[in-house]
Amino acid sequence: MSRKVFTKMETESVDDMLFGETKHPVKLGLDQEAGAGLVYPNIKVAPAEGSEESIDGLEATSKNIAFAATQRAADIGLPAIQIEMEHVQQQSISREASERCTAVTWEQLEELHDKFGTSVSLMSTVADMREEENGLRGSEFDIAMDESFEACAQNGASMLCIETVGGKVVSDFGISRGDVRAILYGIGVLGSNDMEYMWTKIVDCAKRNNVVAGGDTDCAQANTAMFLAGGLLAKNVSHTIAAVARAIAGARSLVAIECGATGPTKDCGYENPIVKSIASVPICAEGKNATCAHADLMGNLTAGVCDVWSNESVYNREEMGGPTPGVWLQSLGYECALMNTATQIGTAKALRDSYVLADKYRDPQGVILSYDNAFLIGQAITEEGEDIYLRSRAAALKAIELINEAVDQKRILLTRFERDTLDSTQKTYEQLPDDQSKFVKTSIKRYGRKVKEHDPKEYEL
């Protein structure tokens, strides 16, 4: 299939960016329509994470988690629930495990719908287990992932998602060394390239099975930069580099939509506001109810334009500690109730702005992901058309411009380290060639030597 490239913004005005509202709502599951006025809670579970269970054990754990979540949903009267099941352990990336775990989870959701009229849906996320040095295309894991997607789609999944890893070996090299060329090449070029390969297949699977192709997240790359940048005390990675990497990720994650995905996109894609600004599709987001995962500085801001609101992975295991799925779901439900009530009484935009302003100027990453600036980055991307390199560089340069504006307005302060890093990044990107082929040729020569795992042939370069 051909990729339908966005050359103009589907969102007509920046003020149209709002939680629960999109130009292109998506029907999924039983009685849900994401982006049509309501925000739905998404409880994310990963029963295989950290376990050595048999497939029988994974099935039983999946059923227990789904039961706990649906019981709590009924108990507190939630009108809607989405469960996301992440198939994350190598053993669970198999047809049989995906069939059985998906089926028992969907049975619990169907029962909740039939008994109480709760609208329900099931997001199935297949982990990307591929390794570049062992083959991204046609490898054993690539084939196993295809089979897992097919099994999920045939056994109750409402939508399919993934966190693709294309370009990670190069972007990891760049993030750890502050090499912004490697970040642009790894996320913007290699990541986008691999996205087109994977999402052409996923969309085809979804269409064959009459389910929704959801979306991707740059968890493997931009989230790595964000996590290493950490909170206010961390100095492992520049926060300005993390912000720029996220802007580039916006151009990358858009490729899923261009290949035919419709959203809701996956929650841990913090670049999703940029994707929504361009394509006006529903997005899933996580933040203030995902504090078990990381010390990000955008817990409120991320709620500003979400259509599905999520936590991070939870487990139904006493030995792992922490709250049960029902407890997490309850907090998500309360937050969604607040957003939906604001919509009903006409205060949604005021709540949106409160969410955003709470975090916008706490960190450079918040600056570029506030809905107004995400919209401007979206415009910069669409103006470059289909060239994955030029639009990724444009996103990066726009992000730098926006951070500098915030500094000039004395809205945010940068340390000397952050100031020098941002200036150096800007200079580097401005001096890069305007021709994608030249940039790619130079990058292959440069990182083919420095990153031993990198194989350009896996991207047909």
Side-chain angles (χ1 to χ4, degrees), residues 133-148:
E133 59 185 329
N134 296 319
L136 293 175
R137 303 187 179 194
S139 65
E140 179 182 352
F141 280 136
D142 190 26
I143 294 169
M145 289 157 56
D146 290 344
E147 293 175 348
S148 185

PDB file of all heavy atoms in Angstrom, residues 133-148:
ATOM      1  N   GLU A 133      20.735  -6.391  14.589  1.00  0.00           N
ATOM      2  CA  GLU A 133      21.870  -7.219  14.184  1.00  0.00           C
ATOM      3  C   GLU A 133      21.439  -8.627  13.781  1.00  0.00           C
ATOM      4  O   GLU A 133      22.176  -9.336  13.078  1.00  0.00           O
ATOM      5  CB  GLU A 133      22.900  -7.295  15.307  1.00  0.00           C
ATOM      6  CG  GLU A 133      22.373  -7.857  16.614  1.00  0.00           C
ATOM      7  CD  GLU A 133      23.417  -7.796  17.719  1.00  0.00           C
ATOM      8  OE1 GLU A 133      24.630  -7.904  17.392  1.00  0.00           O
ATOM      9  OE2 GLU A 133      23.033  -7.627  18.887  1.00  0.00           O
ATOM     10  N   ASN A 134      20.233  -9.042  14.196  1.00  0.00           N
ATOM     11  CA  ASN A 134      19.723 -10.364  13.828  1.00  0.00           C
ATOM     12  C   ASN A 134      18.607 -10.289  12.785  1.00  0.00           C
ATOM     13  O   ASN A 134      17.983 -11.299  12.475  1.00  0.00           O
ATOM     14  CB  ASN A 134      19.214 -11.111  15.069  1.00  0.00           C
ATOM     15  CG  ASN A 134      20.324 -11.401  16.052  1.00  0.00           C
ATOM     16  OD1 ASN A 134      21.419 -11.762  15.654  1.00  0.00           O
ATOM     17  ND2 ASN A 134      20.053 -11.208  17.338  1.00  0.00           N
ATOM     18  N   GLY A 135      18.348  -9.092  12.294  1.00  0.00           N
ATOM     19  CA  GLY A 135      17.375  -8.934  11.220  1.00  0.00           C
ATOM     20  C   GLY A 135      16.064  -8.317  11.666  1.00  0.00           C
ATOM     21  O   GLY A 135      15.376  -8.871  12.519  1.00  0.00           O
ATOM     22  N   LEU A 136      15.720  -7.168  11.086  1.00  0.00           N
ATOM     23  CA  LEU A 136      14.443  -6.521  11.372  1.00  0.00           C
ATOM     24  C   LEU A 136      13.336  -7.042  10.468  1.00  0.00           C
ATOM     25  O   LEU A 136      12.179  -7.131  10.876  1.00  0.00           O
ATOM     26  CB  LEU A 136      14.575  -4.999  11.183  1.00  0.00           C
ATOM     27  CG  LEU A 136      15.469  -4.239  12.163  1.00  0.00           C
ATOM     28  CD1 LEU A 136      15.562  -2.782  11.748  1.00  0.00           C
ATOM     29  CD2 LEU A 136      14.940  -4.356  13.585  1.00  0.00           C
ATOM     30  N   ARG A 137      13.678  -7.383   9.253  1.00  0.00           N
ATOM     31  CA  ARG A 137      12.676  -7.764   8.259  1.00  0.00           C
ATOM     32  C   ARG A 137      12.806  -9.242   7.897  1.00  0.00           C
ATOM     33  O   ARG A 137      13.852  -9.686   7.427  1.00  0.00           O
ATOM     34  CB  ARG A 137      12.828  -6.894   7.007  1.00  0.00           C
ATOM     35  CG  ARG A 137      12.718  -5.417   7.328  1.00  0.00           C
ATOM     36  CD  ARG A 137      12.703  -4.541   6.098  1.00  0.00           C
ATOM     37  NE  ARG A 137      12.580  -3.126   6.487  1.00  0.00           N
ATOM     38  CZ  ARG A 137      12.283  -2.147   5.661  1.00  0.00           C
ATOM     39  NH1 ARG A 137      12.089  -2.403   4.374  1.00  0.00           N
ATOM     40  NH2 ARG A 137      12.184  -0.902   6.089  1.00  0.00           N
ATOM     41  N   GLY A 138      11.726  -9.984   8.163  1.00  0.00           N
ATOM     42  CA  GLY A 138      11.720 -11.399   7.843  1.00  0.00           C
ATOM     43  C   GLY A 138      12.425 -12.276   8.849  1.00  0.00           C
ATOM     44  O   GLY A 138      12.601 -13.475   8.626  1.00  0.00           O
ATOM     45  N   SER A 139      12.817 -11.719   9.992  1.00  0.00           N
ATOM     46  CA  SER A 139      13.495 -12.496  11.020  1.00  0.00           C
ATOM     47  C   SER A 139      12.496 -13.376  11.775  1.00  0.00           C
ATOM     48  O   SER A 139      11.279 -13.254  11.616  1.00  0.00           O
ATOM     49  CB  SER A 139      14.199 -11.571  12.011  1.00  0.00           C
ATOM     50  OG  SER A 139      13.241 -10.801  12.734  1.00  0.00           O
ATOM     51  N   GLU A 140      13.021 -14.237  12.616  1.00  0.00           N
ATOM     52  CA  GLU A 140      12.164 -15.126  13.410  1.00  0.00           C
ATOM     53  C   GLU A 140      11.189 -14.334  14.266  1.00  0.00           C
ATOM     54  O   GLU A 140       9.997 -14.653  14.346  1.00  0.00           O
ATOM     55  CB  GLU A 140      13.043 -16.017  14.293  1.00  0.00           C
ATOM     56  CG  GLU A 140      12.268 -16.978  15.179  1.00  0.00           C
ATOM     57  CD  GLU A 140      13.162 -17.812  16.069  1.00  0.00           C
ATOM     58  OE1 GLU A 140      14.407 -17.758  15.889  1.00  0.00           O
ATOM     59  OE2 GLU A 140      12.630 -18.511  16.953  1.00  0.00           O
ATOM     60  N   PHE A 141      11.686 -13.273  14.916  1.00  0.00           N
ATOM     61  CA  PHE A 141      10.803 -12.463  15.752  1.00  0.00           C
ATOM     62  C   PHE A 141       9.806 -11.675  14.916  1.00  0.00           C
ATOM     63  O   PHE A 141       8.650 -11.482  15.324  1.00  0.00           O
ATOM     64  CB  PHE A 141      11.632 -11.510  16.623  1.00  0.00           C
ATOM     65  CG  PHE A 141      12.211 -12.145  17.844  1.00  0.00           C
ATOM     66  CD1 PHE A 141      13.525 -11.900  18.214  1.00  0.00           C
ATOM     67  CD2 PHE A 141      11.448 -12.992  18.639  1.00  0.00           C
ATOM     68  CE1 PHE A 141      14.065 -12.492  19.346  1.00  0.00           C
ATOM     69  CE2 PHE A 141      11.976 -13.589  19.778  1.00  0.00           C
ATOM     70  CZ  PHE A 141      13.296 -13.334  20.128  1.00  0.00           C
ATOM     71  N   ASP A 142      10.228 -11.205  13.774  1.00  0.00           N
ATOM     72  CA  ASP A 142       9.328 -10.468  12.888  1.00  0.00           C
ATOM     73  C   ASP A 142       8.134 -11.341  12.506  1.00  0.00           C
ATOM     74  O   ASP A 142       6.975 -10.908  12.551  1.00  0.00           O
ATOM     75  CB  ASP A 142      10.097 -10.026  11.643  1.00  0.00           C
ATOM     76  CG  ASP A 142       9.314  -9.050  10.768  1.00  0.00           C
ATOM     77  OD1 ASP A 142       8.440  -8.346  11.297  1.00  0.00           O
ATOM     78  OD2 ASP A 142       9.588  -9.009   9.559  1.00  0.00           O
ATOM     79  N   ILE A 143       8.411 -12.573  12.154  1.00  0.00           N
ATOM     80  CA  ILE A 143       7.349 -13.507  11.775  1.00  0.00           C
ATOM     81  C   ILE A 143       6.471 -13.831  12.972  1.00  0.00           C
ATOM     82  O   ILE A 143       5.234 -13.882  12.868  1.00  0.00           O
ATOM     83  CB  ILE A 143       7.966 -14.788  11.176  1.00  0.00           C
ATOM     84  CG1 ILE A 143       8.667 -14.467   9.857  1.00  0.00           C
ATOM     85  CG2 ILE A 143       6.892 -15.860  10.970  1.00  0.00           C
ATOM     86  CD1 ILE A 143       9.514 -15.596   9.322  1.00  0.00           C
ATOM     87  N   ALA A 144       7.081 -14.036  14.146  1.00  0.00           N
ATOM     88  CA  ALA A 144       6.308 -14.340  15.355  1.00  0.00           C
ATOM     89  C   ALA A 144       5.378 -13.191  15.719  1.00  0.00           C
ATOM     90  O   ALA A 144       4.241 -13.401  16.167  1.00  0.00           O
ATOM     91  CB  ALA A 144       7.254 -14.648  16.514  1.00  0.00           C
ATOM     92  N   MET A 145       5.851 -11.960  15.529  1.00  0.00           N
ATOM     93  CA  MET A 145       5.022 -10.792  15.811  1.00  0.00           C
ATOM     94  C   MET A 145       3.828 -10.727  14.869  1.00  0.00           C
ATOM     95  O   MET A 145       2.702 -10.430  15.289  1.00  0.00           O
ATOM     96  CB  MET A 145       5.853  -9.521  15.713  1.00  0.00           C
ATOM     97  CG  MET A 145       6.843  -9.349  16.856  1.00  0.00           C
ATOM     98  SD  MET A 145       8.241  -8.265  16.442  1.00  0.00           S
ATOM     99  CE  MET A 145       7.371  -6.783  15.948  1.00  0.00           C
ATOM    100  N   ASP A 146       4.056 -11.026  13.593  1.00  0.00           N
ATOM    101  CA  ASP A 146       2.948 -11.063  12.628  1.00  0.00           C
ATOM    102  C   ASP A 146       1.890 -12.064  13.074  1.00  0.00           C
ATOM    103  O   ASP A 146       0.680 -11.790  13.019  1.00  0.00           O
ATOM    104  CB  ASP A 146       3.460 -11.456  11.237  1.00  0.00           C
ATOM    105  CG  ASP A 146       4.303 -10.373  10.589  1.00  0.00           C
ATOM    106  OD1 ASP A 146       4.257  -9.220  11.055  1.00  0.00           O
ATOM    107  OD2 ASP A 146       5.012 -10.684   9.610  1.00  0.00           O
ATOM    108  N   GLU A 147       2.329 -13.226  13.506  1.00  0.00           N
ATOM    109  CA  GLU A 147       1.403 -14.266  13.946  1.00  0.00           C
ATOM    110  C   GLU A 147       0.652 -13.842  15.202  1.00  0.00           C
ATOM    111  O   GLU A 147      -0.534 -14.145  15.365  1.00  0.00           O
ATOM    112  CB  GLU A 147       2.163 -15.568  14.190  1.00  0.00           C
ATOM    113  CG  GLU A 147       2.746 -16.188  12.928  1.00  0.00           C
ATOM    114  CD  GLU A 147       3.592 -17.417  13.211  1.00  0.00           C
ATOM    115  OE1 GLU A 147       3.913 -17.650  14.404  1.00  0.00           O
ATOM    116  OE2 GLU A 147       3.936 -18.131  12.251  1.00  0.00           O
ATOM    117  N   SER A 148       1.348 -13.145  16.097  1.00  0.00           N
ATOM    118  CA  SER A 148       0.715 -12.669  17.322  1.00  0.00           C
ATOM    119  C   SER A 148      -0.354 -11.625  17.021  1.00  0.00           C
ATOM    120  O   SER A 148      -1.455 -11.648  17.603  1.00  0.00           O
ATOM    121  CB  SER A 148       1.776 -12.094  18.269  1.00  0.00           C
ATOM    122  OG  SER A 148       1.203 -11.730  19.506  1.00  0.00           O
TER     123      SER A 148
END
